[in-house]
Amino acid sequence: MAEPASPAASSATSTGAGEARVAAAFAAAREQGRAALMPYMMGGFPDAEASRAIARAYADSGADLIELGIPFSDPLADGPVIHAAATTALEAGSGLEQALESCAEVSDRVPVVVMAYSNMILAVGGEAFASRLADAGACGVIVPDLPLGEGAEVREAIAGAGLALVPLVAQTTEPSRRLEIIRIAQGFIYAVAVIGTTGERSGDVGEALRDFVSDLRERAEVPVSVGFGISTPEQVAAFGEVADGVIVGSRLVREVQDASDTEAAVAAVSRFLSEAKEALDG
Amino acid sequence: MSQAVEERFGRYGGRFVPETLIAALDELTAAWARAREDETFQAELGRLLRDFVGRPTPLYRAERLSERVGRRVYLKREDLAHTGAHKINNAVGQALLAKRMGKTRIIAETGAGQHGVATATACALLGLECVVYMGAEDIRRQAPNVARMNLLGATVAPVEAGARTLKEAVSAAIRDWVATVEDTHYVIGSVVGPAPYPALVRDLQRVIGDEARSQALDAEGALPERVIACVGGGSNSIGTFYAFLDDPVELIGIEPGGEGIESGRHGASLSAGSTGVLHGALSAVLADEQGQILEAHSVSAGLDYPGVGPEHAHLRDTGRASYFPVNDAEALLAFRELARLEGIIPALEPSHAVAWLLAESGSESEDAAASASRPGAAGAGAQDGFDLLCLSGRGDKDLDEVIAKLAEIDG
């Protein structure tokens, strides 16, 4: 090996390597007989330093994968909590660079999948964006406003950097379109649990959602994770019964928002993740 | 053979939205493709445009303005449409379409409140529930329009995010729609947003240009040499331009130059923006080098938007239309100038177009001549041709602000 790169960085720069790391994380959880725990955090929120501490806390508290949001001014798929966090992060001077510091902080321990909006990728350029993610050790990308049929050049650039492009599937997605998304999915499929934006909800796993996720799991070769609206350890356990992975976002971002300082934020997210992990194991 | 509802205009347009909305956009595209070919729908829309909106609006030969600029100028009087602006053409059409699609709830965004009032009006007419998202700052600035919407039975939902203006109101409406897409239709107010909206809104606003073209031929026996309109999101301008696309007619769009392009405080996405995605479409946007969307600035709330319709970006790139910025101060002076020359109080939005015309002919007031640069203003056209300008709305809504700002300018 000519380069003294970290294991994560070197693995993610070869084609498909990000996808392999994601697959390994799901497989490890499955071996333990549970769904993967996939907490979301807003990169650079509330500021760059606190964000790195929160990333470490996620890794220490049993996250199987971390979903890392890049702060964006106009996040159309996000509800008020994550939108407000993005605004705070931007006001604190955080952008792509600061958010990726949180990625680099933990990407050798836990696979990180970045969530970014189309305009940020177009502004930086597909290739430059993908290579910066790969350099920070990221395994994949979720672009919530790049549905099937848009952004061919962005897709190529992401694949070229060895990153998995994780697609979203909604309950409103037509059957033929679902099949096409499943066909090109990399890493995992992000099944949107609610008809709506991100944010805490109290709902149970209903019949329709159970059918929706199990249909996806039957057809897809990659794992299927559910997210949007999942906000208690009990919900994590319930959704973990039907999916390969469970994503928790707004609840954790709110814990950080409400905390008086970084130490309190770290304690709050650690406590939640430990309880969620326990609920999944139970 | 009917033409498909366009999803893209050259490289621009598309549907950069959460997956949850894709099925609804497909449904809307299919519904519009059928409705616009459907004689019953068109007859009903035509009846409402005639009897309720008051169409056709006149094409008025503005004698004293013509004298001032040294060539004949016709004004397309959208200010005389019901509710005082062209916005009603789109609102009535989309509300009728929503009803046909079986949707029972309508949402809309509004900046100054004109589109909100138009949508609330159309919903009252057709018996639909109506929620209008409006930035909290705009609610404060536009109290009379908030009162109008409430009176018409609509709910005005304040938006507290960001700068609490139009951009955030659009985002809030889209987020509502993501969650309510099964029974709700989103009546977007301009030729922006994901496909099919840019084509749908243009189709509903093209009545402006279709009427104006035929009225110009009646009046002059010839086509205008130049067609001029203001461009915020771009609905009155595309509605006016569309009928003339295949004609040997110069198309000129006037953007809000705010405090000047060099000040960075403007809303001129086409003249000074970059290519990017805002509210679901690839187009010209105001964004920083990281892709964060910037706040626009204009004295005119209706032009205060950091994006523009994708078809305009395409018309700019192909050279078919030209776009120039006009500053706040010039627009304010043109507002007064038109009132005194023609007895017409224009909205601040088309006052930008009037200002460009005055400046271009070298006949603006001395104050305006001293105020700013006008890249497009060099050299008047031939003297035998005539101009057609879309006067997209009336200025009652702007009186308080204009009077205060003119007092500052007059010192």
Side-chain angles (χ1 to χ4, degrees):
Chain A
M1 295 284 283
E3 291 173 6
S6 74
S10 64
S11 66
T13 48
S14 60
T15 303
E19 192 167 15
R21 269 196 86 196
V22 170
F26 278 100
R30 199 177 306 122
E31 270 173 33
Q32 295 173 28
R34 60 173 177 80
L37 180 60
M38 306 170 65
Y40 169 96
M41 60 176 284
M42 174 59 74
F45 169 74
D47 57 53
E49 191 182 335
S51 170
R52 290 198 302 275
I54 288 158
R56 288 194 300 273
Y58 278 25
D60 293 341
S61 305
D64 295 300
L65 288 98
I66 294 173
E67 193 189 334
L68 177 76
I70 312 292
F72 179 52
S73 54
D74 297 79
L76 274 190
D78 286 304
V81 171
I82 290 178
H83 188 188
T87 305
T88 303
L90 290 169
E91 283 167 359
S94 290
L96 179 61
E97 186 183 332
Q98 291 73 20
L100 288 180
E101 286 172 8
S102 290
C103 179
E105 188 81 13
V106 293
S107 60
D108 57 340
R109 298 166 61 197
V110 181
V112 177
V113 176
V114 165
M115 186 158 176
Y117 282 84
S118 294
N119 198 49
M120 315 174 64
I121 303 177
L122 293 170
V124 177
E127 280 186 33
F129 185 86
S131 82
R132 286 183 71 173
L133 262 55
D135 288 347
C139 291
V141 196
I142 302 166
V143 190
D145 63 345
L146 194 77
L148 180 72
E150 294 297 347
E153 66 288 352
V154 169
R155 289 170 196 282
E156 272 173 38
I158 288 168
L163 300 167
L165 183 60
V166 173
L168 292 100
V169 178
Q171 292 172 72
T172 54
T173 306
E174 296 293 336
S176 62
R177 186 177 166 90
R178 274 187 206 182
L179 291 179
E180 182 62 17
I181 295 172
I182 287 167
R183 195 180 64 74
I184 63 164
Q186 296 171 326
F188 63 94
I189 288 169
Y190 195 138
V192 180
V194 298
I195 297 180
T197 53
T198 61
E200 297 170 59
R201 289 172 183 80
S202 57
D204 295 331
V205 185
E207 193 70 23
L209 184 69
R210 193 183 300 272
D211 290 349
F212 168 59
V213 175
S214 55
D215 179 67
L216 289 173
R217 289 179 77 192
E218 264 172 43
R219 295 174 192 276
E221 288 179 18
V222 295
V224 177
S225 294
V226 286
F228 284 40
I230 302 170
S231 48
T232 66
E234 294 71 32
Q235 284 177 312
V236 170
F239 283 88
E241 294 293 317
V242 301
D244 298 302
V246 183
I247 299 161
V248 182
S250 294
R251 167 62 186 267
L252 286 161
V253 172
R254 181 169 61 79
E255 295 285 0
V256 175
Q257 185 109 56
D258 292 348
S260 52
D261 56 22
T262 304
E263 201 180 327
V266 164
V269 300
S270 301
R271 186 167 55 246
F272 180 88
L273 290 174
S274 301
E275 287 171 20
K277 191 73 172 264
E278 207 170 298
L280 273 178
D281 284 334
Chain B
M1 188 63 198
S2 63
Q3 198 197 347
V5 179
E6 302 105 303
E7 288 201 2
R8 280 168 223 279
F9 307 89
R11 63 184 291 220
Y12 301 107
R15 305 194 300 192
F16 294 83
V17 291
E19 176 65 26
T20 302
L21 287 180
I22 296 294
L25 295 170
D26 282 343
E27 180 194 6
L28 182 59
T29 303
W32 181 237
R34 284 192 303 272
R36 74 176 182 181
E37 303 296 330
D38 182 272
E39 283 176 20
T40 313
F41 178 86
Q42 288 301 335
E44 176 67 359
L45 178 58
R47 184 184 69 80
L48 290 175
L49 289 178
R50 186 190 67 216
D51 300 342
F52 184 72
V53 175
R55 305 206 71 89
T57 59
L59 185 71
Y60 166 68
R61 178 160 159 175
E63 293 291 352
R64 297 187 66 217
L65 176 64
S66 299
E67 203 174 301
R68 173 65 61 89
V69 302
R71 56 193 275 125
R72 296 192 302 293
V73 179
Y74 287 81
L75 301 177
K76 179 59 174 165
R77 298 291 306 276
E78 292 300 297
D79 60 313
L80 294 177
H82 183 40
T83 70
H86 72 291
K87 294 290 184 190
I88 192 75
N89 304 327
N90 170 52
V92 165
Q94 283 203 51
L96 202 58
L97 179 65
K99 194 149 187 175
R100 180 184 157 103
M101 292 170 73
K103 307 284 182 181
T104 55
R105 179 173 174 267
I106 296 293
I107 55 172
E109 84 294 339
T110 200
Q114 292 305 104
H115 173 59
V117 168
T119 305
T121 299
C123 288
L125 173 73
L126 297 171
L128 293 161
E129 182 191 347
C130 180
V131 176
V132 180
Y133 287 93
M134 188 169 187
E137 175 62 14
D138 287 337
I139 287 179
R140 190 189 61 74
R141 290 191 294 194
Q142 311 284 342
N145 273 340
V146 175
R148 282 187 190 97
M149 287 184 271
N150 286 328
L151 185 66
L152 290 158
T155 302
V156 178
V159 179
E160 300 285 354
R164 310 189 304 170
T165 56
L166 177 59
K167 171 172 80 91
E168 303 300 339
V170 177
S171 295
I174 293 175
R175 289 191 183 98
D176 176 311
W177 202 35
V178 173
T180 59
V181 61
E182 287 158 315
D183 70 346
T184 296
H185 174 68
Y186 175 25
V187 177
I188 204 164
S190 191
V191 286
V192 299
Y197 280 109
L200 166 61
V201 178
R202 179 209 61 208
D203 288 346
L204 290 168
Q205 291 292 2
R206 65 172 290 178
V207 65
I208 304 171
D210 286 344
E211 286 176 7
R213 188 176 185 279
S214 136
Q215 289 166 324
L217 286 171
D218 284 349
E220 290 272 346
L223 291 168
E225 193 168 336
R226 304 186 300 188
V227 170
I228 304 153
C230 63
V231 183
S235 71
N236 93 81
S237 46
I238 212 79
T240 310
F241 291 173
Y242 199 62
F244 298 97
L245 278 184
D246 296 329
D247 294 327
V249 171
E250 204 179 332
L251 304 176
I252 296 165
I254 305 302
E255 292 196 286
E259 294 171 13
I261 298 298
E262 62 290 341
S263 74
R265 287 174 57 76
H266 60 82
S269 327
L270 290 161
S271 303
S274 52
T275 298
V277 170
L278 175 62
H279 294 140
L282 183 72
S283 187
V285 299
L286 301 179
D288 69 13
E289 71 285 353
Q290 288 215 355
Q292 308 293 347
I293 305 298
L294 300 171
E295 294 297 336
H297 170 83
S298 172
V299 69
S300 149
L303 303 180
D304 202 348
Y305 183 69
V308 67
E311 192 164 13
H312 282 294
H314 180 57
L315 292 176
R316 176 198 62 185
D317 285 7
T318 60
R320 180 63 194 91
S322 308
Y323 299 88
F324 306 108
V326 158
N327 296 354
D328 287 348
E330 298 170 279
L332 286 160
L333 292 167
F335 183 103
R336 181 165 63 192
E337 201 72 6
L338 192 69
R340 293 185 178 176
L341 280 173
E342 295 291 346
I344 296 170
I345 299 174
L348 266 174
E349 291 80 10
S351 294
H352 285 71
V354 174
W356 183 84
L357 191 64
L358 290 168
E360 187 270 348
S361 67
S363 57
E364 79 274 42
S365 66
E366 285 179 15
D367 296 334
S371 77
S373 63
R374 282 165 298 276
Q383 292 303 305
D384 53 346
F386 68 98
D387 291 342
L388 191 157
L389 187 149
C390 181
L391 198 73
S392 55
R394 69 178 185 226
D396 314 42
K397 69 183 176 64
D398 299 317
L399 281 184
D400 289 349
E401 178 149 28
V402 170
I403 289 164
K405 292 251 157 81
L406 279 176
E408 288 172 27
I409 292 174
D410 293 340

